Amino acid sequence: NAGVTQTPKFRVLKTGQSMTLLCAQDMNHEYMYWYRQDPGMGLRLIHYSVGEGTTAKGEVPDGYNVSRLKKQNFLLGLESAAPSQTSVYFCASSYPGLRSQETQYFGPGTRLLVL
Amino acid sequence: RKEVEQDPGPFNVPEGATVAFNCTYSNSASQSFFWYRQDCRKEPKLLMSVYSSGNEDGRFTAQLNRASQYISLLIRDSKLSDSATYLCVVRLRAGNMLTFGGGTRLMVKP
């Protein structure tokens, strides 16, 4: 199993450009998440999904959109990139087990630089 | 005030030393607690869950103090390979989202 994969690994954008980050998981997980990680800020949740066709806002959703058309994929879109969106983006997935101790599995991250 | 607070460090320790990190959380209704490990330029990975009674996994011991709302991680006999950032993570209730602390950086020197 590949686990959680992310595409691309690194990208440079100009202000105002758009792009889509792709996350894929092969563990049949119901839940998927998009985080951003900035120095000193920890990981912050952007959007998440609790199943195919559903999405919800996290802590820092502004400037981003998401879609979960297939259970295994979770897309993060930036319609008009801004320098403040320069960050490392992590996707994660989890299976909602019977107990509250389910683990989130993270992808390797996408480093985005917006000039 | 941040929901989950950690000393960012870095903690510089020699091989073989014992080192402890603390983390405080603000929401007293939090139910689940974890330590994740993140290597430089890599993704976070679960190190261990933290149970109310405290738990141990080899050289790692995690403790939870609900009254004072803090979580601790103790690493004994530090190895060079323990060098990483340790993230304190809290969940409010089952199925709810995780809240991450900013991480504590550990550097183990020969």
Side-chain angles (χ1 to χ4, degrees), chain A residues 31 33 35 37 40-45 48 50 59 90 99-109 111, chain B residues 2 32-34 36 38 41-46 49-51 87 91 93-95 97-98 100-102:
Chain A
Y31 290 9
Y33 317 82
Y35 294 91
Q37 186 174 35
M41 299 293 292
L43 282 95
R44 292 181 292 167
L45 184 65
Y48 65 99
V50 298
E59 180 186 356
F90 287 102
R99 298 174 59 187
S100 62
Q101 304 286 350
E102 69 263 19
T103 302
Q104 288 192 13
Y105 296 86
F106 284 80
R111 296 180 182 280
Chain B
K2 291 182 181 177
S32 302
F33 309 90
F34 313 89
Y36 275 68
Q38 185 173 23
R41 302 178 75 84
K42 297 286 190 180
E43 72 272 22
K45 293 183 179 179
L46 179 67
S49 300
V50 185
Y51 303 115
L87 305 173
R91 174 161 38 223
R93 56 183 176 271
M97 300 303 109
L98 298 179
F100 288 78

Side-chain angles (χ1 to χ4, degrees), chain B residues 70-105:
Chain B
Y70 81 78
I71 308 145
S72 65
L73 177 68
L74 181 77
I75 305 175
R76 290 181 299 278
D77 188 24
S78 299
K79 312 290 185 189
L80 295 177
S81 57
D82 293 334
S83 296
T85 297
Y86 291 83
L87 305 173
C88 177
V89 184
V90 172
R91 174 161 38 223
L92 189 61
R93 56 183 176 271
N96 206 330
M97 300 303 109
L98 298 179
T99 301
F100 288 78
T104 297
R105 188 174 173 204

Side-chain angles (χ1 to χ4, degrees), chain B residues 10-26:
Chain B
F11 285 57
N12 294 294
V13 302
E15 267 188 296
T18 295
V19 61
F21 311 134
N22 285 335
C23 159
T24 58
Y25 60 95
S26 61

Side-chain angles (χ1 to χ4, degrees), chain A residues 32-88:
Chain A
M32 296 187 75
Y33 317 82
W34 275 108
Y35 294 91
R36 60 178 289 173
Q37 186 174 35
D38 302 293
M41 299 293 292
L43 282 95
R44 292 181 292 167
L45 184 65
I46 305 171
H47 286 280
Y48 65 99
S49 167
V50 298
E52 183 179 321
T54 71
T55 62
K57 294 180 180 180
E59 180 186 356
V60 287
D62 294 341
Y64 305 95
N65 56 75
V66 288
S67 64
R68 182 105 181 264
L69 299 179
K70 293 183 179 180
K71 185 177 182 179
Q72 63 267 34
N73 295 337
F74 195 28
L75 278 64
L76 178 71
L78 286 73
E79 289 187 350
S80 179
S84 60
Q85 293 179 303
T86 293
S87 188
V88 181

